[in-house]
Amino acid sequence: SPDGRWLATCSAVGVTRVVIWPLDAEGGMKRVHDLEEPCGDFSFHPDGQRVLVGVRGGSVFALPIGAGAKHRLETEWEGKVQFALGLTVDASGRRAAASPFNMNPSIRAPELRTLRVWDLPSGEGRTYSLAHLTDESWWGFESLRVLPDGRLLGAGLGAGGVVRLSLPSEATEVVSRETLYAAGGASFALSSDGRRALVWASRSAGADRSEELLVLELTDGTRRRIETHGKSIWWGAIGSSGRVIATGDTEGVVRVGPADGGEPHLLLGGHAGTVWNVAISPDGRWLASVGDESIHLWPMPDVTKPPLHTLPYEELMAKLDTFTNLRVVRDPDSSTGWKLDIGPFPGWEDVPSW
């Protein structure tokens, strides 16, 4: 949740169950909601009292964290698309939006290439056609966020890259689009103030990884290419301040570094395969990464200091020596020529840090 007090998870073992876990001592008991269909996307309400969930089949539910029953938000796609994705709530907590989503095949029916926007206090929704802005290659918006000025930022396969949408106020007008970054496929993460976006993209719409990474300044349209996070990016995150970025790649490597493109810290050994998602905690102290079989929580490195792997050899060895009393030393009697030597532990006057 935006205040870091709650964590929402979804499982589909036997029954689809959304569990909202308290992350502080005052949070109380966990909340459990059973749904009929598997989850596709989450979005917390800014007040921290509700979470929106998009599920298979295109339905959207508002689930209370406290007492109360779940509430269905009508999408007009129920039973016609695979999922509802891109759930987002504006900073005021009054407006929410979502996108239909189909994967193989795409959303080919023009009447389904739409956005749904709700006025949350009344529960009333309005559908905006995107048929004039999309074609049969559009899958829907995997990434969708409400910007401070009320416009929407969207990205996904068939969208043409990262686009900014202006919604009309009159029924006779249509949605207009501005392409901020053209790409075959793209996703993004938005800073909490809505002024900066981290974008990962590929030239090819069918690519299984993103080879491009950049920071977009949404106020003036400037962009900064990031060349230090590799060419096999799967997902990314940006800190609430917009000054720290993180990525996970298809080879199991998590990188976190400054948004100016400086050399990132490498977080290794957590995942053997693709890192499907990364997230930075609201207070900036933790980084979470998700792989096929595990979730890892990493203490956030100090990105203002040089990463460990960039230190000069002598400085690197001196730092490693402060962590452990284990040493690998030569041993002519060993089959490998080496052995592990366990020396006396001297104790830490100051706990070492990376």
Side-chain angles (χ1 to χ4, degrees):
S1 60
D3 59 10
R5 295 183 59 199
W6 300 95
L7 171 70
T9 65
C10 186
S11 63
V13 179
V15 62
T16 299
R17 179 160 291 160
V18 176
V19 183
I20 304 172
W21 307 84
L23 296 179
D24 61 21
E26 299 177 357
M29 299 292 292
K30 67 182 181 182
R31 282 40 166 182
V32 180
H33 297 273
D34 291 340
L35 299 176
E36 296 178 357
E37 297 289 350
C39 307
D41 202 4
F42 287 104
S43 181
F44 271 97
H45 192 278
D47 65 10
Q49 300 303 309
R50 288 169 285 175
V51 60
L52 303 187
V53 182
V55 302
R56 187 174 64 185
S59 295
V60 174
F61 293 93
L63 308 179
I65 291 179
K70 66 177 180 284
H71 172 66
R72 182 191 293 268
L73 297 174
E74 297 294 335
T75 66
E76 298 187 349
W77 323 307
E78 286 91 348
K80 301 175 183 177
V81 298
Q82 293 173 354
F83 277 99
L85 290 188
L87 272 68
T88 179
V89 184
D90 70 2
S92 72
R94 291 190 59 88
R95 286 203 314 161
S99 168
F101 182 81
N102 268 5
M103 178 191 302
N104 296 325
S106 54
I107 304 177
R108 297 178 178 177
E111 65 272 16
L112 294 179
R113 299 205 297 270
T114 61
L115 285 179
R116 185 70 169 172
V117 178
W118 296 274
D119 176 74
L120 291 178
S122 68
E124 295 181 356
R126 179 178 173 182
T127 297
Y128 295 87
S129 175
L130 300 179
H132 62 294
L133 299 175
T134 59
D135 57 26
E136 292 186 354
S137 67
W138 190 58
W139 287 25
F141 288 127
E142 292 180 85
S143 300
L144 186 67
R145 292 293 181 268
V146 182
L147 296 173
D149 61 8
R151 290 182 290 181
L152 293 171
L153 195 67
L157 282 175
V162 180
V163 299
R164 186 159 49 193
L165 304 172
S166 297
L167 304 183
S169 57
E170 301 295 333
T172 57
E173 299 175 340
V174 297
V175 177
S176 61
R177 177 182 66 185
E178 175 190 4
T179 300
L180 301 183
Y181 188 73
S187 295
F188 67 85
L190 193 65
S191 62
S192 60
D193 62 7
R195 297 168 62 88
R196 176 176 286 183
L198 176 69
V199 176
W200 51 102
S202 60
R203 290 290 107 194
S204 169
D208 61 355
R209 64 197 66 193
S210 294
E211 71 275 7
E212 299 177 347
L213 186 70
L214 62 145
V215 172
L216 278 180
E217 301 292 346
L218 299 177
T219 53
D220 59 14
T222 59
R223 62 184 67 165
R224 179 188 308 111
R225 288 191 174 274
I226 308 297
E227 304 288 353
T228 53
H229 284 243
K231 302 294 184 181
S232 301
I233 298 164
W234 183 266
W235 207 255
I238 188 167
S240 57
S241 67
R243 294 192 293 269
V244 177
I245 60 173
T247 59
D249 72 12
T250 59
E251 299 173 354
V253 180
V254 178
R255 294 174 173 87
V256 56
D260 63 9
E263 190 71 28
H265 293 252
L266 306 181
L267 307 181
L268 305 174
H271 305 285
T274 298
V275 181
W276 298 112
N277 209 319
V278 292
I280 298 173
S281 64
D283 61 8
R285 296 176 57 198
W286 295 91
L287 177 71
S289 60
V290 181
D292 281 338
E293 298 180 350
S294 60
I295 297 174
H296 285 262
L297 291 175
W298 312 83
M300 179 64 73
D302 185 348
V303 300
T304 65
K305 296 181 179 179
L308 189 71
H309 67 278
T310 66
L311 296 178
Y313 178 79
E314 295 298 334
E315 186 177 345
L316 171 63
M317 295 307 297
K319 178 173 281 290
L320 293 178
D321 283 345
T322 67
F323 287 123
T324 179
N325 59 333
L326 301 180
R327 301 288 184 270
V328 177
V329 298
R330 292 191 178 277
D331 181 6
D333 297 327
S334 169
S335 59
T336 64
W338 300 88
K339 71 174 182 179
L340 186 65
D341 182 53
I342 304 176
F345 178 61
W348 286 324
E349 181 177 347
D350 297 308
V351 177
S353 65
W354 294 102

